Amino acid sequence: MNPVNNILYLATLGAIRLWRMFMYIAVYIGLSPVKAYIIKALHSTGIKVNGAASHDIVVHNDWLYHRLAYDGTLGIAEAYMDGWWDCKRLDEFICRAFKASLYKKLLFPWEKCISYLTFDAFNLQTVARCHQVAQEHYNLGNDIFKSFLDVNMNYSCGYWKDAKNLDEAQLHKVELIGRKLKLKPRMRVLDIGCGWGGLCKFLAETYNVEVVGITNSKEMAEEARFNCKGYQVDIRCQDYREVNEVFDRIVSIEFFEHVGRRNYQSFFELTHRCLTDDGIFLLQTSGNDNDISPPIEGFIHKYIFPNGILPNHKDIPKAIDNLFCLEDWHNFGAYYDKTLMAWHDNFVKNWHTISHMFENPDSTYRMWIFFFLMCAGVFRARLFQVWQIVLTKSAAGGYVSVR
């Protein structure tokens, strides 16, 4: 971000803080009407406060309503982390709330304004900022992620068709990717955002191809190199914008959320430049195809994926115009619900093995639980999607996809 944009960005954050202070005072003065309005809105969706149903919420501190009005979904999440409220089935509460457009009724204009001011007006995914998400999330410690991911550590939506458990769903996903890429021995494959190397290892082992995997997380890179030892896999710790080689195939699995709208065009220009004329590019990303769900959510931005933003379904065709032929667009977003619930169950089961790692284990535990169950509820409501998109430079004879 150049100095002028940096000043404007800081000024924007200052204006947002002033507005929040105004909201804080306004809500403090009129807490009772705010509480009554929120309870009424909840009741309209079938959610009761201190009710008996599993999707009802139990409020331990009435200042929850203040935090919701003042800080949107971030306030709700932080209040949950602080133990101000509970819900037996948080995933069902979120699903009901989003299906009934409660988000739009209570929070949408305010959070849309914040999203626009901080993510559309400025580029928060620059080279200078690209390591922030690695430092604050992916480098937390591999043991944390091992506690809830599958055996091959795939941190993305599984493919649950004919799968009985998480390990099978993730295996089916990488098998599907391999079939869609139509790989041949000795091809060179680039994996942008390779994580812990699970896909790199699978492709190298199954198809006898050479794979280059890139990540900006040192902990991921170290684990990926260990996992891929003995295979034709080169794991590099670098920003994707530093790649300047040609590959027969390119794949990127749920990394695109870290690219940012201001960089979509340059991202696809880079992949076009690095792909052979007869090559295939498979992109898997979460996204939204509606105007209700926000491209960025305060809790996710602050605690999970800093600077991440979900693409809208309109963004991708626009960014690939005059670069790629869109061969296939496969939506299996409903499977993220099952993936997230499996991660949640694994995390709960294995929490005792990692709880000692945290200074404030209770708050950390509730943060992860909120992350898993909030996201599961939103995907269950079908407001977020998962797309596998196959692109070519215009494959001779056409492209036939698989499911």
Side-chain angles (χ1 to χ4, degrees), residues 271-285:
T271 52
H272 184 273
R273 185 171 64 250
C274 291
L275 189 67
T276 59
D277 288 342
D278 59 350
I280 297 173
F281 174 25
L282 186 147
L283 175 73
Q284 179 174 315
T285 181

Side-chain angles (χ1 to χ4, degrees), residues 140-212:
L140 287 173
N142 291 329
D143 287 345
I144 297 173
F145 299 98
K146 288 178 181 179
S147 75
F148 65 86
L149 295 177
D150 65 296
V151 65
N152 292 311
M153 297 186 72
N154 291 280
Y155 200 13
S156 54
C157 181
Y159 193 63
W160 287 84
K161 181 182 178 182
D162 302 323
K164 300 182 182 66
N165 53 54
L166 179 64
D167 285 344
E168 287 187 5
Q170 295 294 9
L171 176 59
H172 291 181
K173 191 260 300 293
V174 296
E175 288 175 339
L176 180 68
I177 291 169
R179 294 198 302 272
K180 287 184 177 181
L181 286 174
K182 303 186 185 299
L183 294 164
K184 297 177 182 178
R186 293 181 294 280
M187 279 186 168
R188 295 192 76 223
V189 181
L190 172 65
D191 183 350
I192 301 177
C194 64
W196 293 275
L199 178 61
C200 295
K201 178 182 176 181
F202 174 82
L203 296 180
E205 180 181 25
T206 306
Y207 294 96
N208 189 27
V209 294
E210 176 187 341
V211 185
V212 173

Side-chain angles (χ1 to χ4, degrees), residues 365-390:
Y365 177 80
R366 292 176 70 91
M367 178 197 78
W368 280 98
I369 294 300
F370 192 87
F371 166 55
F372 295 133
L373 297 183
M374 181 195 75
C375 292
V378 175
F379 277 99
R380 191 176 307 161
R382 298 307 312 279
L383 293 178
F384 289 168
Q385 314 300 332
V386 175
W387 304 312
Q388 267 193 6
I389 301 169
V390 176

Side-chain angles (χ1 to χ4, degrees), residues 286-291 293-295 310-313 383-385 387:
S286 299
N288 66 67
D289 52 8
N290 59 82
D291 293 326
S293 52
L310 292 183
N312 185 272
H313 69 295
L383 293 178
F384 289 168
Q385 314 300 332
W387 304 312

Side-chain angles (χ1 to χ4, degrees), residues 13-56:
L13 291 183
I16 289 173
R17 291 191 182 102
L18 286 174
W19 175 252
R20 282 178 167 167
M21 182 60 66
F22 170 78
M23 288 290 294
Y24 182 94
I25 296 170
V27 173
Y28 180 83
I29 294 171
L31 179 60
S32 294
V34 168
K35 175 182 175 180
Y37 175 77
I38 292 174
I39 290 176
K40 183 178 179 181
L42 288 170
H43 282 198
S44 70
T45 69
I47 299 170
K48 294 182 180 179
V49 174
N50 301 325
S54 60
H55 59 264
D56 290 335

